Amino acid sequence: MSTVHVRNVKKSYSDLTVIEDLSFDIHDGEFMVFVGPSGCGKSTLLRMIAGLESFQGGEVAIGERVVNGVPARDRNIAMVFQDYALYPHMTIRDNMSFGLKMRKTPTAEIERRVAAAAEILQIGHLLDRKPRALSGGQRQRVAMGRAIVREPDVFLFDEPLSNLDAKLRVEVRTEIKRLHARLGATMIYVTHDQVEAMTMADRIVVLKGGAVEQIGTPQELYREPRTRFVAGFIGSPGMNFAPARIEGDVATLVTGDRVPVRRLSSGTRAVQGEIGIRPEHVQLADPHGPGVETLVDVVEPLGADTLVAVRLGEAQLMVRLPGEIIPAEGDRLRLSFTPGATMAFDAQGLRI
Amino acid sequence: MSDTPRSRWSTPVFTIGALLFMSPILWMALSSLKSPQEVTAYPPKLLFTPTAANYAELFGRTDFLHNTFNSFVVAGASTLLGLVIAIPAAFAISWHRMVWPATVSLFARMAPGTLFLLPWFIMFSKLGMAGGYTALILAHAVITMPLALWILLPYLDATPREIVESGQIDGCRSGTILIRLVLPMIYPGIVVATIMSFVFSWNYFLFALALSGFDTKTAIVASFNFIGEGTTNWGALMAAATVIALPPLVLTFTVQRWLVSGLSFGAVKG
């Protein structure tokens, strides 16, 4: 178990900057998720912590020890790869023991740890098989077992669920979470799936273009996104945006509708920007209260809820309505926004 | 996997093709069993009384057995040496995606052998190594090493990088990763490289002709003693050729079941 510190790291391939000046700390025992679209540098960042990737500036520390230039084999980390990376010619038992053998762990201790990990992951009956005889989900469990037996300072996961089918993904997700609760170890987890990030993380680092957009707990990112990108990325479906002129606490939409917004700063100057509202913060308007006129575009009944895509002037909004309300395409809907849930963003995409 | 029905012509066509390719070898084997009169008879006789006289002469009156032993020593050692250099070299080239060292090694193989011959002869003579096994083995490693390198490259390129990285994280140095993790996965490639290196070294004439001494003459060089200025002892020459052809054939047939690929299946998502 250990803390991890990333300070001012930079990485570039000749002219292309992949990571620019990144800093953050990961607490002892924390489950940290790096999330972002492909090419945002999240895997590169993880591999830098692992010691599989060099970087040009700054430093990475595991605990109090700066590990710049320390090869991966001396970092006491364990990694679970997307493609499992099991050794095909070894049995599952040998796969799990290999890292310990390389570190000259006594045989009795290796056996004890392998048995304990196999018990946790329920793979005891697979120990004498070869990886090719295992299903994808079983292989991923073995890959986790291989990490567990090492009792590393930090666990690293590089998109470990991407090759599993949807149902299995939810299962293994729960298993990793349970594992974290049980071991209390520091874990860093990379994914492009915001649902994985939200459900598993203690804290999330949202990355975009090699830079940190925001770091926070899932709740913080959901409730107080600092940028339009984070607001749109977190949540399912993501936040809706509509161009507006924002003046004080009131936004005037292109349609002329006036909507109250909850501002971060108390600016009074009029700004051309956007308002943001989450699908779950939109409801059918009280006939006598305030509301905006919209036109129903697409209806997706999900059972518990109905997702409705509506048009508000030029803007398109996704709205989550109760399951019993199923409008028809072309219907007109008068909608209102939950008070205090409407946010404002400037033209650069920063929350104001 | 496509499962197209085989044409009914394929078996006869393959049989005829195989016979065409095999005919010089059959001719060689048959000729080695003919008497001096029959071997040069025209039209050639297909039916004749086989005789072992040529083989008796080969092993009785010449040192051919010792020459064959020399061939084994040189081909075996140069194959081993070639692999010992080529395996780590190919691993490094493949891992770092660095192509130029492989290209340089290929140049050595593409250049005509005569280019090396004179400088080597002088060099090995001055070192007092000419005529010994060492000079010959080193010279043949120039043939086997690039060959093995280029055979192994695609096998290494197909090895998932994550396996190597996983080994690094598991605490291995590069050498351990190569030996414990990568070699078992490229086993078929090593078998192919071994066979090809052995066969090429075994059959290589020029270096052996110039660099071998009386005691270290290889079988292929020795067989040329049957070609005289005026007459050629065809029967004995064919017997020698048959003996020379045997080890590569036996080697290939015995190890071909190892050539079945697919060992890496299950390493990453299958």
Side-chain angles (χ1 to χ4, degrees):
Chain A
M1 270 191 282
S2 191
T3 55
V4 176
H5 310 277
V6 174
R7 299 183 193 113
N8 306 102
V9 296
K10 296 176 191 74
K11 172 153 185 88
S12 51
Y13 298 107
S14 56
D15 289 347
L16 181 73
T17 305
V18 225
I19 303 266
E20 45 181 320
D21 200 14
L22 255 175
S23 297
F24 57 85
D25 297 308
I26 299 171
H27 308 145
D28 191 15
E30 190 169 36
F31 198 114
M32 184 67 123
V33 174
F34 298 165
V35 70
S38 57
C40 71
K42 56 190 187 295
S43 276
T44 310
L45 188 58
L46 187 80
R47 293 167 56 82
M48 279 156 59
I49 296 171
L52 298 173
E53 200 92 47
S54 63
F55 49 93
Q56 277 82 32
E59 61 181 34
V60 172
I62 296 175
E64 295 311 310
R65 173 184 176 221
V66 175
V67 292
N68 291 20
V70 175
R73 64 172 180 271
D74 296 328
R75 290 195 181 190
N76 199 24
I77 40 126
M79 187 153 166
V80 178
F81 291 88
Q82 179 176 355
D83 290 333
Y84 325 134
L86 303 181
Y87 310 129
H89 54 290
M90 294 183 194
T91 62
I92 300 311
R93 188 191 306 279
D94 290 340
N95 261 283
M96 288 168 71
S97 321
F98 187 71
L100 295 175
K101 278 186 197 152
M102 288 297 115
R103 288 181 167 75
K104 313 247 187 293
T105 314
T107 314
E109 174 69 6
I110 295 179
E111 275 168 18
R112 190 190 64 75
R113 289 199 204 173
V114 169
E119 160 90 44
I120 294 175
L121 296 166
Q122 294 166 359
I123 51 174
H125 59 297
L126 304 173
L127 286 179
D128 293 315
R129 295 199 199 166
K130 294 269 179 77
R132 65 175 163 274
L134 269 54
S135 70
Q138 288 171 330
R139 285 182 207 175
Q140 194 54 280
R141 258 185 222 122
V142 173
M144 284 196 274
R146 196 166 63 173
I148 294 172
V149 295
R150 291 267 321 280
E151 296 179 4
D153 289 337
V154 185
F155 284 81
L156 307 175
F157 295 87
D158 190 5
E159 308 219 21
L161 307 184
S162 337
N163 286 333
L164 305 180
D165 63 49
K167 186 168 169 284
L168 205 54
R169 204 175 296 172
V170 177
E171 273 177 45
V172 182
R173 193 169 82 194
T174 321
E175 224 160 287
I176 297 177
K177 228 181 144 170
R178 198 177 293 138
L179 194 68
H180 178 246
R182 181 165 180 166
L183 302 176
T186 311
M187 294 187 176
I188 309 178
Y189 186 103
V190 163
T191 178
H192 59 267
D193 181 353
Q194 63 90 21
V195 178
E196 271 174 38
M198 293 294 279
T199 50
M200 299 172 88
D202 291 328
R203 279 195 306 154
I204 300 174
V205 180
V206 183
L207 290 155
K208 183 194 171 199
V212 171
E213 282 279 315
Q214 190 170 350
I215 302 176
T217 64
Q219 282 303 307
E220 280 165 9
L221 297 187
Y222 178 81
R223 286 184 193 184
E224 300 297 346
R226 278 211 297 268
T227 66
R228 183 189 191 279
F229 176 79
V230 174
F233 194 77
I234 300 292
S236 168
M239 188 178 270
N240 296 300
F241 302 99
R245 188 180 154 77
I246 299 143
E247 200 170 358
D249 292 339
V250 178
T252 311
L253 303 184
V254 181
T255 51
D257 293 305
R258 286 162 64 82
V259 182
V261 292
R262 183 168 63 83
R263 301 259 320 231
L264 274 187
S265 53
S266 53
T268 46
R269 203 165 53 85
V271 184
Q272 199 60 41
E274 281 176 309
I275 60 157
I277 181 81
R278 294 206 177 270
E280 46 275 36
H281 295 149
V282 183
Q283 53 285 122
L284 293 180
D286 186 329
H288 310 292
V292 292
E293 290 293 336
T294 64
L295 188 65
V296 174
D297 206 2
V298 180
V299 183
E300 297 175 357
L302 296 176
D305 317 298
T306 307
L307 287 181
V308 186
V310 299
R311 244 181 265 164
L312 172 62
E314 293 294 297
Q316 207 184 53
L317 304 186
M318 194 57 107
V319 179
R320 189 188 290 275
L321 297 177
E324 61 274 14
I325 304 173
I326 303 178
E329 280 167 39
D331 280 0
R332 288 187 177 283
L333 284 185
R334 217 169 93 82
L335 301 172
S336 70
F337 302 150
T338 306
T342 312
M343 301 174 189
F345 300 89
D346 68 12
Q348 282 73 49
L350 288 178
R351 178 106 180 267
I352 51 174
Chain B
M1 186 80 81
S2 68
D3 199 22
T4 49
R6 268 211 222 158
S7 153
R8 63 202 163 103
W9 292 110
S10 57
T11 308
V13 166
F14 282 134
T15 311
I16 292 168
L19 281 174
L20 277 175
F21 277 108
M22 292 295 286
S23 56
I25 295 167
L26 286 173
W27 189 278
M28 172 187 77
L30 289 176
S31 297
S32 73
L33 298 171
K34 289 179 176 178
S35 67
Q37 291 76 33
E38 284 170 325
V39 78
T40 48
Y42 189 84
K45 286 185 179 173
L46 276 178
L47 292 173
F48 58 92
T49 322
T51 167
N54 292 321
Y55 288 94
E57 184 182 350
L58 191 65
F59 292 114
R61 285 182 38 208
T62 70
D63 259 347
F64 201 72
L65 203 61
H66 183 65
N67 300 134
T68 311
F69 171 76
N70 289 340
S71 280
F72 268 109
V73 170
V74 172
S78 65
T79 298
L80 199 66
L81 180 62
L83 283 172
V84 164
I85 303 170
I87 290 171
F91 180 50
I93 289 168
S94 169
W95 178 255
H96 293 291
R97 298 193 174 108
M98 201 188 263
V99 185
W100 67 262
T103 314
V104 168
S105 83
L106 194 62
F107 277 137
R109 186 69 195 89
M110 289 193 301
T114 41
L115 190 71
F116 299 101
L117 208 51
L118 200 59
W120 275 355
F121 186 74
I122 294 168
M123 188 179 85
F124 286 130
S125 295
K126 289 207 165 158
L127 291 170
M129 291 165 71
Y133 282 131
T134 318
L136 210 48
I137 290 165
L138 286 174
H140 275 210
V142 171
I143 302 160
T144 56
M145 195 282 280
L147 191 67
L149 178 73
W150 278 85
I151 290 172
L152 290 175
L153 274 179
Y155 287 90
L156 285 160
D157 288 343
T159 307
R161 293 177 78 82
E162 290 186 342
I163 292 280
V164 176
E165 290 173 345
S166 186
Q168 292 175 348
I169 285 173
D170 266 344
C172 303
R173 288 168 189 281
S174 309
T176 318
I177 292 174
L178 177 59
I179 293 166
R180 303 275 309 254
L181 304 180
V182 175
L183 282 194
M185 292 179 72
I186 60 161
Y187 200 83
I190 299 209
V191 173
V192 176
T194 307
I195 293 177
M196 298 300 276
S197 297
F198 187 86
V199 170
F200 273 70
S201 171
W202 180 267
N203 286 336
Y204 207 80
F205 176 68
L206 189 63
F207 294 163
L209 178 70
L211 296 173
S212 65
F214 187 75
D215 283 346
T216 56
K217 198 161 281 192
T218 59
I220 196 134
V221 175
S223 68
F224 271 66
N225 288 342
F226 298 112
I227 304 176
E229 212 155 314
T231 57
T232 296
N233 187 349
W234 284 108
L237 181 61
M238 288 301 141
T242 308
V243 172
I244 291 171
L246 271 179
L249 276 178
V250 171
L251 182 69
T252 310
F253 277 111
T254 46
V255 297
Q256 72 175 351
R257 69 188 183 92
W258 291 104
L259 298 184
V260 182
S261 284
L263 199 67
S264 76
F265 180 79
V268 299
K269 62 172 170 160

